[in-house]
Amino acid sequence: MSTLPPTVRLETGQGGLPVLRVTSPGSTAEIYLHGAHVTSWVPTGQKPVVWLSTESRFDAGSAIRGGVPICFPWFGARAGHPEAPQHGFARLADWELVDARDEGDDVIVQLRLTDSEATRTSAWPYLFEATFTVVVGAQLTMTLEVANRDTTEFTFEEALHTYLAVGDVRSTAITGLEGTDYVDRPTGPDPLPGEAGPVRFTGPTDRIYLATTAQTTVHDEVGGRSVTVAKDGSATTVVWNPWIDNALAMADFGDDEWTGMVCVETCNVRGDSVLLEPDQSHTMTARLGVSGPPNP
Ligand code: TA6
């Protein structure tokens, strides 16, 4: 990677980890090379849209709590491998910055992760190349492309596990998933029939919505705004809020922070896992937008 445009600065972030600080006319963003982890997106005139825990760890062995973790090449636990990290190895890996450039009012940053000795001896030992492209502007567009560089087919799961900031999750509704069957993870694994109305939060919520390509909208009544999550190349949407007891149980999650966030995750997991033949690739995109009264 040669020189950076003035809109992108490589600096030392929390925990001494390298971070890209991006400034565009439409918004600012932060992306840690650790996990290619977006930790901030603040549209001009708005409060932060992407949520980050004040208790997050920032060290090589931990996933950052909040932002947009990249879950790859599995989601959740890796069956048969209790030693394997939750949500795969990508969010724990150091990604390489391969491109940074301006395009009109947008700033484009591209990071890459390829197989290594560590991944080739992991619970998912295939040869691959993953490219994560972030377009920072009036919207935030994140694209994960996975290429099969092996001589055999492989299957993977993936998620852009987006944490969104809300004024109060108890006064938040998510539209776009009406009538969509879902797995309620605490009581799963059999899918439940979709609900007629919007998703509302009255307790711990951890739902895998299946076979949906729909855009969702997070209606943040207390925050006075709406955040849209559009997607391409994704057939699964996960919605998560830990609620009280799960928040208390997480050392990297403030005890009272659960009211200020909700995850809307752009995924391909479980029955929507992706199968790639050698030399094939797959692309999944999540695009965030915000509308509502600009905050003074
Ligand atoms: O996407 C929801 C979920 O799978 C929850 O079950 C919870 O585990 C959450 O992800 C956070 O996982 P993490 O490994 O980041 O603590």
Side-chain angles (χ1 to χ4, degrees):
M1 174 69 212
S2 54
T3 56
L4 295 175
T7 49
V8 180
R9 302 189 315 276
L10 179 59
E11 299 182 340
T12 300
Q14 298 192 58
L17 298 177
V19 61
L20 295 165
R21 292 202 164 100
V22 181
T23 304
S24 76
S27 67
T28 63
E30 285 189 354
I31 309 163
Y32 279 77
L33 301 190
H34 177 64
H37 202 126
V38 174
T39 53
S40 172
W41 182 55
V42 186
T44 304
Q46 278 284 355
K47 290 182 180 176
V49 172
V50 166
W51 178 89
L52 183 70
S53 172
T54 58
E55 304 297 318
S56 178
R57 300 183 186 97
F58 284 86
D59 61 55
S62 307
I64 294 169
R65 174 65 66 192
V68 184
I70 297 175
C71 304
F72 171 81
W74 63 82
F75 184 81
R78 177 68 169 165
H81 293 272
E83 83 292 348
Q86 162 106 323
H87 288 330
F89 49 64
R91 65 177 183 169
L92 299 172
D94 293 333
W95 291 56
E96 178 194 359
L97 175 62
V98 294
D99 189 19
R101 67 182 188 280
D102 297 344
E103 218 165 74
D105 282 345
D106 292 337
V107 181
I108 300 171
V109 171
Q110 197 165 69
L111 302 104
R112 185 158 296 148
L113 180 69
T114 55
D115 56 89
S116 62
E117 182 58 29
T119 68
R120 291 189 291 269
T121 54
S122 78
W124 193 86
Y126 303 102
L127 308 187
F128 74 95
E129 182 177 285
T131 304
F132 186 53
T133 305
V134 185
V135 180
V136 179
Q139 295 184 308
L140 182 72
T141 303
M142 299 173 283
T143 298
L144 180 63
E145 178 179 9
V146 176
N148 182 336
R149 296 288 185 252
D150 213 316
T151 56
T152 178
E153 67 180 36
F154 61 55
T155 299
F156 65 92
E157 294 178 302
E158 58 185 348
L160 296 176
H161 191 301
T162 305
Y163 286 71
L164 298 171
V166 294
D168 189 330
V169 71
R170 296 164 294 192
S171 306
T172 296
I174 299 177
T175 57
L177 296 168
E178 292 83 353
T180 305
D181 292 358
Y182 66 94
V183 171
D184 178 52
R185 290 188 80 192
T187 62
D190 298 328
L192 301 175
E195 298 170 339
V199 182
R200 293 187 182 281
F201 301 85
T202 57
T205 306
D206 194 350
R207 298 181 171 187
I208 302 177
Y209 286 86
L210 304 162
T212 172
T213 59
Q215 170 175 302
T216 52
T217 302
V218 177
H219 303 269
D220 175 6
E221 182 182 330
V222 170
R225 67 184 187 184
S226 296
V227 175
T228 53
V229 183
K231 60 179 195 172
D232 298 306
S234 160
T236 321
T237 295
V238 171
V239 174
W240 179 60
N241 180 278
W243 215 251
I244 303 166
D245 293 344
N246 291 319
L248 290 171
M250 291 185 280
D252 62 348
F253 196 112
D255 292 353
D256 302 325
E257 287 186 322
W258 60 273
T259 61
M261 53 70 66
V262 66
C263 283
V264 179
E265 305 162 35
T266 303
C267 321
N268 287 300
V269 303
R270 306 293 187 269
D272 297 322
S273 299
V274 178
L275 169 66
L276 287 184
E277 301 292 340
D279 296 327
Q280 275 189 331
S281 62
H282 178 274
T283 296
M284 178 174 76
T285 296
R287 185 173 303 104
L288 306 184
V290 60
S291 62
N295 294 285

